[in-house]
Amino acid sequence: MKFDCHMHSFRSGDSINLPKTIIHKAKEKKVSIAITDHNSIRSWKELTSLGQKAGVQVIPGEEIMTFDETNQKITGELIGLFLNELVKSGYYMEVIDSMREQDALIVVPHPFDFLRNNFFSLKKEWKKVDCIESFNSRCYSDSFNAKAKAFAELHGIPQTAGSDAHFPEEIGSAFLEVPKADSLEDARKLMKKGKNSVQGKRSSVMVHVKTFFAKKGFFKPKNY
Ligand SMILES: [Zn+2]
């Protein structure tokens, strides 16, 4: 099974992806997906039911903004995969605990991309997470992904990959492959043990320009 483990729907506010477009593109690219909207799980239901019809597996996830309890500053984003319910944005230890209670897979997205909301406390807290995203197609430089991969290998941390798609053309540009998985539950167990490989290509920097305009409310979908 192949999974693009990081992408957004329009419910993230900075993406234009409609659920039906995500499933259509995923099918075309022959990948299953994890939906990881920013602090929202509102697309889970629709994507799961559309995915069932199309034969695209959907991992319910979320990309959550976290803060440091001591200085109240942003600590960066964490991703929960295989969640059962919403995890509220908050202090990072509370977010980690809340994901752990749900037996979710805790992933650190784009950990060395300092131009985005990378999780600053990784070096201190890496034992508390399950996986590191060692390929994110939206990283501004290959070196950020290379650093993530090296860090994961050094500490023996399993790796994931994702397009971080905010636009349809990005879907499937990075993915992980779990060769022995037949079901989502199999995939979860194998990913936790790092029994998967990671592949991807970087997106054009133009996707960041488009995201800037999406945040301003351009391209807002109608009828939702
Ligand atoms: Zn993201």
Side-chain angles (χ1 to χ4, degrees), residues 2-224:
K2 288 180 184 171
F3 290 95
D4 179 343
C5 278
H6 184 166
M7 73 178 62
H8 298 268
S9 78
F10 74 96
R11 291 190 169 102
S12 277
D14 55 359
S15 160
I16 65 162
N17 292 332
L18 292 174
K20 64 177 180 193
T21 316
I22 291 177
I23 296 298
H24 177 80
K25 274 283 167 191
K27 200 172 164 72
E28 192 182 294
K29 297 278 183 79
K30 298 186 173 66
V31 291
S32 281
I33 63 152
I35 180 68
T36 55
D37 278 324
H38 295 295
N39 312 297
S40 170
I41 61 168
R42 287 175 59 222
S43 286
W44 283 6
K45 241 190 188 165
E46 201 176 344
L47 278 167
T48 305
S49 93
L50 289 170
Q52 261 162 10
K53 286 177 208 145
V56 173
Q57 303 269 7
V58 177
I59 300 172
E62 186 189 347
E63 187 167 28
I64 307 145
M65 185 59 86
T66 71
F67 300 87
D68 191 312
E69 199 166 1
T70 48
N71 59 19
Q72 312 294 314
K73 285 191 178 155
I74 285 179
T75 335
E77 291 170 315
L78 289 172
I79 283 181
L81 298 179
F82 302 95
L83 288 167
N84 304 311
E85 56 185 49
L86 181 85
V87 174
K88 279 194 192 143
S89 171
Y91 299 134
Y92 74 80
M93 278 314 301
E94 289 175 5
V95 168
I96 287 174
D97 286 348
S98 175
M99 289 197 274
R100 199 56 79 205
E101 275 165 25
Q102 297 187 39
D103 204 16
L105 217 59
I106 303 171
V107 182
V108 184
H110 41 73
F112 293 97
D113 191 342
F114 67 88
L115 296 167
R116 291 148 82 214
N117 285 314
N118 61 328
F119 183 60
F120 302 134
S121 300
L122 178 66
K123 284 186 179 153
K124 190 168 80 170
E125 308 288 10
W126 63 270
K127 285 185 180 159
K128 296 194 173 72
V129 304
D130 298 311
C131 306
I132 280 184
E133 187 182 68
S134 64
F135 199 99
N136 177 299
S137 297
R138 283 195 156 217
C139 274
Y140 282 94
S141 157
D142 285 328
S143 67
F144 299 150
N145 284 328
K147 259 184 160 178
K149 186 171 185 279
F151 188 88
E153 283 173 353
L154 176 69
H155 297 292
I157 307 168
Q159 300 172 39
T160 70
S163 63
D164 206 349
H166 289 60
F167 298 94
E169 66 271 23
E170 298 172 78
I171 292 167
S173 56
F175 57 86
L176 60 81
E177 189 162 8
V178 203
K180 288 183 180 155
D182 290 322
S183 66
L184 275 190
E185 185 47 28
D186 272 2
R188 192 180 75 83
K189 286 183 188 150
L190 292 162
M191 283 160 69
K192 193 160 185 169
K193 290 183 188 156
K195 307 265 186 211
N196 57 264
S197 61
V198 160
Q199 289 179 52
K201 66 174 187 341
R202 218 151 45 77
S203 300
S204 136
V205 290
M206 276 309 288
V207 298
H208 294 286
V209 178
K210 284 173 80 176
T211 305
F212 172 82
F213 286 106
K215 274 183 191 163
K216 301 245 174 243
F218 287 79
F219 332 119
K220 247 201 179 109
K222 293 184 181 86
N223 307 323
Y224 266 91

